């Protein structure tokens, strides 16, 4: 039994995946190994198995999504689970209904597992405390997005065999990115070295304790890294002028054709999507042979199959259940 993940010895109960926080190397590797099995199922002429027949997965998205929601729903269908779906835009939220009431309504449709996305850090943790269903965090504000990190690790491992000793640069709006937080934890758990590349205003107020180094310029490190992970400027979360202009940001940090050509030939380019072409990545760089952006999308389904299977099939807890002291303080001051 892993103390870090609080796994139940009898395999019973209800488990959640709320963050990479609390997972060690073997926890991450176990999910990636299981993903290999589901990737193989995805390559069959009929990519479907009866593993979760009779179970229902609900996607509860209070914030926009293309890839993550479609990927969870595809994963559930490949496992023969039923799906129900809630979208904030077309719901009674606009009529004043609370998150808690919304979750209760969705749960009452017979769901076994809720996939939750919200713009506020800690929402998935809160929801896990309200229901006796499994909860998967599909992105909570700028806190965590664990399945994105798992599919990114899977994509890198698929190409390179192992992340051990790799130097991975995460570039862009790290301050507002849940993907960056989950990926720093997952990449380093698998033995990679992470360098954050951003202007000082796009770094979190404190990175004390983060297992990373920092660079403020992209050009000097381009030839010296094994993978470049690009992030979108999260305009929806930026409340002050953190960059002079998108044009100025792009001139220093956009991965253009000439910049990608200076990377090692076997280096990888990743992006969680959606991409803002011409801001953090050019069309040419996105289609360069180093780019594995489409592999990330494909692998997202297999990784999420593994996560749904582990949670619903075994009731296991994946990662910590607590949002951590820093986020708990933040949450206690907000009304949901
Ligand atoms: C990311 C997200 O929503 O956090 N996208 C995703 O899940 N594929 C990154 C982003 O929105 O920039």
């Amino acid at each position: 039994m892993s103390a870090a993940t609080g796994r139940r010895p009898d395999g019973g109960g209800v488990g959640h995946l709320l963050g990479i926080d609390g997972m060690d190397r073997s926890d991450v590797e176990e999910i990636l190994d299981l993903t290999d099995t589901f990737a193989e199922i995805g390559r069959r002429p009929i990519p479907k198995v009866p593993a979760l027949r009779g179970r229902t997965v609900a996607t509860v998205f209070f914030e926009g999504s293309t890839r993550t929601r479609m990927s969870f729903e595809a994963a559930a269908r490949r496992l023969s689970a039923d799906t129900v779906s809630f979208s904030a835009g077309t719901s009674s939220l606009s009529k004043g209904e609370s998150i808690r009431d919304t979750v209760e309504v969705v749960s009452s449709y017979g769901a076994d597992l809720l996939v939750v996305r919200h713009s506020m850090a800690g929402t998935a943790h809160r929801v896990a405390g309200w229901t006796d269903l499994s909860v998967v965090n599909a992105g909570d504000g700028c806190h965590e997005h664990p399945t994105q990190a798992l599919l990114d690790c899977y994509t890198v491992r698929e190409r390179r065999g192992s992340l051990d000793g790799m130097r991975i640069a995460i570039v862009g709006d790290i301050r507002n990115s849940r993907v960056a937080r989950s990926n720093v934890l997952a990449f380093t758990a698998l033995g990679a070295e992470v360098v954050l590349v951003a202007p000082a205003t796009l770094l979190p107020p404190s990175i004390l304790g983060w297992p990373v180094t920092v660079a403020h310029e992209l050009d000097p490190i381009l030839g010296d890294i094994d993978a470049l992970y690009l992030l979108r400027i999260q305009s929806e979360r930026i409340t002050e002028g953190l960059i002079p202009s998108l044009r100025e940001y792009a001139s220093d940090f956009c991965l253009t054709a000439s910049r990608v050509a200076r990377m090692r030939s076997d280096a990888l380019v990743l992006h969680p999507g959606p991409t803002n072409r011409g801001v953090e990545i050019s069309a040419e760089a996105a289609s360069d042979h180093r780019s594995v952006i489409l592999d990330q999308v494909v692998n997202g389904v297999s990784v999420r199959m593994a996560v749904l299977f582990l949670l619903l099939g075994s009731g296991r807890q994946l990662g910590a259940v607590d949002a951590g002291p820093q986020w708990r303080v933040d949450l206690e001051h907000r009304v949901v």
Side-chain angles (χ1 to χ4, degrees):
M1 164 170 164
S2 157
T5 57
R7 218 171 268 166
R8 292 156 214 241
D10 61 358
V14 169
H16 311 292
L17 171 59
L18 303 177
I20 298 295
D21 187 28
M23 283 194 198
D24 60 21
R25 183 182 185 120
S26 68
D27 295 322
V28 176
E29 282 179 341
E30 184 191 5
I31 299 172
L32 303 190
D33 291 344
L34 186 60
T35 299
D36 279 332
T37 309
F38 289 115
E40 186 276 312
I41 291 166
R43 289 189 289 270
R44 292 182 191 169
I46 300 174
K48 200 163 172 132
V49 287
L52 296 183
R53 196 161 50 200
R55 315 302 292 274
T56 299
V57 171
T59 51
V60 190
F61 278 50
F62 297 93
E63 203 187 65
S65 167
T66 303
R67 292 159 190 75
T68 307
R69 178 206 282 273
M70 286 175 67
S71 173
F72 269 109
E73 290 177 354
R77 281 194 302 271
R78 284 187 184 180
L79 293 166
S80 302
D82 293 320
T83 55
V84 290
S85 161
F86 162 87
S87 279
T90 51
S91 72
S92 292
L93 267 196
S94 55
K95 299 180 188 169
E97 190 157 42
S98 71
I99 300 176
R100 190 167 186 156
D101 288 343
T102 305
V103 165
E104 274 168 16
V105 171
V106 177
S107 308
S108 68
Y109 289 117
D112 297 288
L113 181 145
L114 306 176
V115 180
V116 178
R117 169 173 284 194
H118 197 284
S119 57
M120 194 169 73
T123 302
H125 299 73
R126 275 264 167 112
V127 172
W130 292 335
T131 74
D132 51 8
L133 307 178
S134 279
V135 175
V136 176
N137 182 5
D140 62 324
C142 50
H143 182 209
E144 280 230 42
H145 189 355
T147 56
Q148 180 68 47
L150 293 168
L151 76 90
D152 294 330
C153 289
Y154 186 81
T155 303
V156 175
R157 193 177 89 157
E158 190 180 41
R159 288 291 176 123
R160 301 289 291 256
S162 157
L163 276 73
D164 264 320
M166 281 184 75
R167 190 158 190 246
I168 304 180
I170 302 181
V171 185
D173 184 5
I174 290 143
R175 182 190 178 102
N176 294 296
S177 174
R178 52 198 176 208
V179 174
R181 281 169 181 75
S182 290
N183 278 17
V184 164
L185 295 171
F187 288 154
T188 54
L190 294 182
E193 178 198 333
V194 174
V195 47
L196 303 180
V197 187
T201 50
L202 292 184
L203 288 171
S206 166
I207 53 163
L208 205 68
W210 288 39
V212 296
T213 53
V214 171
H216 295 301
E217 286 177 82
L218 177 59
D219 288 314
I221 64 156
L222 272 177
D224 196 27
I225 47 172
D226 300 294
L228 193 60
Y229 195 100
L230 299 163
L231 295 171
R232 180 175 67 87
I233 300 282
Q234 308 265 310
S235 316
E236 72 274 30
R237 292 185 226 292
I238 291 186
T239 49
E240 10 162 351
L242 297 180
I243 48 170
S245 70
L246 285 180
R247 216 160 95 178
E248 233 166 291
Y249 174 82
S251 90
D252 290 339
F253 295 100
C254 181
L255 188 67
T256 55
S258 71
R259 285 197 172 114
V260 80
R262 301 208 311 269
M263 291 176 65
R264 289 184 198 148
S265 159
D266 66 346
L268 305 176
V269 173
L270 296 102
H271 193 306
T275 54
N276 287 162
R277 298 281 164 100
V279 180
E280 72 273 6
I281 189 164
S282 71
E284 295 87 344
S287 53
D288 186 85
H289 74 270
R290 300 167 184 82
S291 166
V292 290
I293 296 172
L294 283 177
D295 298 18
Q296 290 173 271
V297 177
V298 172
N299 291 335
V301 179
S302 313
V303 164
R304 287 169 177 132
M305 285 173 82
V307 166
L308 295 179
F309 180 79
L310 277 173
L311 291 176
L312 286 177
S314 70
R316 287 247 310 273
Q317 174 61 35
L318 305 174
V321 277
D322 199 311
Q326 179 189 344
W327 296 100
R328 203 165 47 230
V329 170
D330 191 34
L331 286 174
E332 275 163 10
H333 291 87
R334 301 188 198 213
V335 179
V336 182

